[in-house]
Amino acid sequence: MIVENYWKYFLVPLIVYCVTYVIYLWRNDKKKKIFGNSGRTERVEFDDSDLGEQDDLSPALPEDLAHIPLKPEILPTDVMIRHSREFYEKMNKRRSIRNFSSRSFPKEIIYNIIRTAGTAPSGAHTEPWTFIVVESMDMKEKIREIIEEEEEMNYKKRMGKTWTTDLKPLKTNWVKEYLTVAPYIILVFKQTHSFKSDGTKKIHYYNEQSLSIAVGFLLAAIHSAGLYSLTSTPLNCGPAIRSLLNRPSTEKLVFLLPVGYPAENCLVPDLHRKPLNEIIVEY
Amino acid sequence: MIVENYWKYFLVPLIVYCVTYVIYLWRNDKKKKIFGNSGRTERVEFDDSDLGEQDDLSPALPEDLAHIPLKPEILPTDVMIRHSREFYEKMNKRRSIRNFSSRSFPKEIIYNIIRTAGTAPSGAHTEPWTFIVVESMDMKEKIREIIEEEEEMNYKKRMGKTWTTDLKPLKTNWVKEYLTVAPYIILVFKQTHSFKSDGTKKIHYYNEQSLSIAVGFLLAAIHSAGLYSLTSTPLNCGPAIRSLLNRPSTEKLVFLLPVGYPAENCLVPDLHRKPLNEIIVEY
């Protein structure tokens, strides 16, 4: 009788617990097979898009994609050295600003800047990006309202003391005047996947890394045009802004960049960049 | 007696289970407070670095960081339009290649390229990047061995049919000859965190996005110098390569880029980029 009770009241929940735990371990192991050692300290970061199998097996690019000769333009070595130095010197003058002038500029420049971003490489050439350019004051005000509301909560509740303390020297807070002052705002959405012409899912490999590289191109283009920006990553605002801008659920907001001229008397923090020997290791 | 047994054999494990579950829910809720709706379809992607609280509250940058006047160089509008068009035209000529020449070039160009990457913006100016330049054939061979071994498993077992089918038109496989042919390989590690001078932890906000933007700058610099590259993200090779290169556990391999001249008769897939109207939306 005692043995019988023991079985019913103790072993049953224990067995249920063990089975659940084994299932959990097994599922985790399946993930590891794809993503490698998924321990936080070891794993290679990888976008967690759905990598599930599909029934159709037509590639996303044309199956008979031609491979054509590259026509490289080979420069003399001294010109290469000079170009690399000049490009560094130009890019080293770039500064992020938070204090914009309302002065506008021709939209053609915005078009060229976004065209440049669109030349970035992407996983299996999926080009997983949408650039939303906002010029309308009405829309800028709506975006500002969403962001300031979320940012106030971020600063006051979510980010914690370490984060807000780290931001203090940069003098930032949840008031984002530039959102309604800068002539243009570019919101950069990543596309986690899309659809092929036959309606099947097209997976966008490494979409977040590809998108961020494209934003690197975008920033270089903004700077090349003689304009200024601020690279921001609106925390927790994605769903509300996505819905405001009527973007599909396959897109997620990652970056927001105001673009324009600096305000008169614009100040920037007196930051310095690490010298080469602190960021390079040679073998 | 039955009630006593019931308590011992059934309720105790049940209570333990419930308490564990409540702790799990509570911890999850804490995460949500920081990262918002963490449902896969809605959350704003965010690097999962440890954002835990620390006892010290000194900011990572100097507390009294000066804010100094920006000295912008304002260009005439027609020059801005021209620069933006020229930069686009230059960047639009960039192509990734997989077939490199072994011809080398002065290392000064590599230095300028990495200096340029180091001018990228980063979350709270944490500059979370290390660029490993490999020129030694011995080290290149060791890296190639690790990568080809993992890639063979990726292609044959881990990536699945959808992924390998999508890669077919690009004619890639697990053999990476360029790893021992290109004169230089740059391995880009993100730093998830570092340490302040007083030994406390310095959190690197948005380190993966910052790093990828820096790789955008790196690619623009490689192209500006008249050189070629391939943006690769070695899957599952991170821990082995990190250990080979003796990098600390705070660093994770994200990108690997061979840099050099194209081989004679180098072919590239006949890819086209999306036109502006497919990547822009205006408000």
Side-chain angles (χ1 to χ4, degrees), chain B residues 79-105:
Chain B
V79 175
M80 289 169 64
I81 294 177
R82 183 162 51 78
H83 281 193
S84 71
R85 192 185 54 241
E86 284 170 358
F87 190 66
Y88 162 63
E89 284 165 359
K90 185 176 85 171
M91 292 296 280
N92 198 29
K93 287 186 189 143
R94 191 197 56 79
R95 289 299 312 253
S96 296
I97 62 164
R98 288 180 168 77
N99 199 356
F100 285 81
S101 150
S102 62
R103 180 181 163 194
S104 195
F105 55 85

Side-chain angles (χ1 to χ4, degrees), chain A:
Chain A
M1 160 79 186
I2 279 180
V3 170
E4 203 183 320
N5 272 341
Y6 192 79
W7 167 249
K8 269 191 193 150
Y9 299 136
F10 184 77
L11 277 183
V12 168
L14 187 71
I15 288 166
V16 169
Y17 176 80
C18 289
V19 168
T20 316
Y21 189 65
V22 166
I23 290 174
Y24 168 79
L25 284 182
W26 175 73
R27 286 176 58 111
N28 231 23
D29 190 56
K30 238 177 114 178
K31 273 191 196 163
K32 272 190 193 163
K33 271 194 189 150
I34 298 175
F35 296 112
N37 184 339
S38 66
R40 263 182 110 148
T41 54
E42 292 296 345
R43 80 190 156 108
V44 174
E45 286 291 330
F46 189 85
D47 183 76
D48 56 0
S49 314
D50 183 4
L51 292 171
E53 288 301 298
Q54 298 191 103
D55 286 338
D56 83 294
L57 284 177
S58 66
L61 292 163
E63 214 152 341
D64 56 350
L65 183 66
H67 284 240
I68 55 172
L70 176 79
K71 287 169 194 143
E73 193 193 337
I74 305 297
L75 303 172
T77 310
D78 59 326
V79 175
M80 289 169 64
I81 295 177
R82 182 162 51 78
H83 281 193
S84 70
R85 192 184 55 239
E86 285 170 358
F87 190 66
Y88 162 63
E89 283 164 359
K90 186 175 84 172
M91 293 295 281
N92 199 30
K93 287 186 188 143
R94 191 196 56 79
R95 290 299 313 252
S96 296
I97 62 164
R98 288 181 168 78
N99 198 356
F100 286 82
S101 150
S102 61
R103 180 180 163 194
S104 195
F105 55 85
K107 209 160 187 183
E108 194 182 338
I109 298 175
I110 286 284
Y111 294 151
N112 285 333
I113 286 167
I114 291 178
R115 278 190 188 103
T116 307
T119 70
S122 55
H125 195 57
T126 44
E127 302 173 278
W129 37 65
T130 307
F131 299 91
I132 315 282
V133 178
V134 178
E135 196 184 1
S136 125
M137 182 52 84
D138 178 53
M139 191 55 96
K140 281 184 205 162
E141 277 166 359
K142 284 178 182 153
I143 290 171
R144 181 171 171 183
E145 203 176 308
I146 292 171
I147 291 182
E148 289 190 342
E149 195 182 308
E150 287 291 336
E151 280 287 273
E152 187 168 355
M153 280 196 283
N154 291 338
Y155 272 82
K156 287 185 175 167
K157 292 180 191 171
R158 296 167 178 148
M159 286 157 55
K161 275 185 190 158
T162 307
W163 197 347
T164 49
T165 304
D166 278 348
L167 285 176
K168 255 183 207 161
L170 297 172
K171 297 187 180 168
T172 64
N173 62 23
W174 58 86
V175 181
K176 310 286 182 192
E177 234 186 286
Y178 57 76
L179 291 173
T180 46
V181 174
Y184 300 97
I185 299 175
I186 303 178
L187 296 106
V188 190
F189 284 75
K190 69 172 184 179
Q191 302 168 349
T192 57
H193 63 274
S194 61
F195 297 94
K196 298 177 201 170
S197 50
D198 62 0
T200 58
K201 194 171 173 178
K202 180 174 170 180
I203 299 169
H204 291 182
Y205 307 97
Y206 297 94
N207 56 65
E208 179 132 346
Q209 289 91 336
S210 306
L211 185 88
S212 304
I213 290 174
V215 167
F217 281 32
L218 190 79
L219 287 168
I222 291 168
H223 182 64
S224 281
L227 288 163
Y228 286 79
S229 186
L230 173 71
T231 314
S232 81
T233 45
L235 186 57
N236 293 327
C237 308
I241 291 180
R242 203 193 64 191
S243 145
L244 173 70
L245 296 171
N246 209 18
R247 301 309 306 159
S249 63
T250 51
E251 296 189 0
K252 322 273 177 260
L253 177 65
V254 183
F255 294 99
L256 182 152
L257 301 102
V259 185
Y261 296 94
E264 267 189 66
N265 308 321
C266 173
L267 297 179
V268 287
D270 191 16
L271 297 172
H272 298 274
R273 290 175 176 137
K274 287 180 187 167
L276 183 64
N277 65 8
E278 285 182 28
I279 63 172
I280 197 174
V281 175
E282 299 177 59
Y283 277 96

Side-chain angles (χ1 to χ4, degrees), chain B residues 102-262:
Chain B
S102 62
R103 180 181 163 194
S104 195
F105 55 85
K107 208 159 188 185
E108 194 182 338
I109 299 175
I110 286 284
Y111 294 151
N112 285 332
I113 287 167
I114 292 176
R115 277 190 189 104
T116 307
T119 69
S122 55
H125 194 57
T126 44
E127 303 173 278
W129 38 64
T130 307
F131 298 90
I132 315 281
V133 178
V134 178
E135 195 184 2
S136 125
M137 182 53 84
D138 177 54
M139 192 56 96
K140 281 185 203 162
E141 276 166 0
K142 284 179 182 152
I143 290 170
R144 181 171 169 183
E145 204 176 309
I146 292 171
I147 290 182
E148 290 190 340
E149 195 181 311
E150 288 292 335
E151 280 288 271
E152 187 168 356
M153 280 196 284
N154 291 337
Y155 272 82
K156 288 184 172 167
K157 292 181 189 169
R158 297 167 178 146
M159 287 156 55
K161 278 187 188 157
T162 308
W163 196 348
T164 49
T165 305
D166 279 348
L167 284 177
K168 258 184 205 160
L170 297 173
K171 298 186 182 170
T172 64
N173 62 24
W174 58 86
V175 181
K176 310 285 183 193
E177 233 186 286
Y178 58 76
L179 290 173
T180 46
V181 174
Y184 300 97
I185 300 175
I186 303 177
L187 297 106
V188 190
F189 284 76
K190 69 173 186 180
Q191 301 168 348
T192 56
H193 62 273
S194 61
F195 298 94
K196 299 177 200 170
S197 51
D198 61 359
T200 59
K201 195 171 173 177
K202 179 175 170 180
I203 299 168
H204 291 182
Y205 307 97
Y206 297 94
N207 56 65
E208 179 131 346
Q209 290 91 336
S210 305
L211 185 87
S212 304
I213 290 174
V215 168
F217 281 33
L218 189 78
L219 288 168
I222 290 169
H223 183 65
S224 281
L227 288 163
Y228 287 78
S229 187
L230 173 71
T231 314
S232 81
T233 46
L235 185 57
N236 293 327
C237 309
I241 291 180
R242 203 193 65 190
S243 145
L244 173 70
L245 297 171
N246 210 18
R247 302 308 307 159
S249 63
T250 51
E251 297 190 1
K252 323 274 178 258
L253 176 64
V254 183
F255 295 98
L256 182 153
L257 301 102
V259 185
Y261 296 94

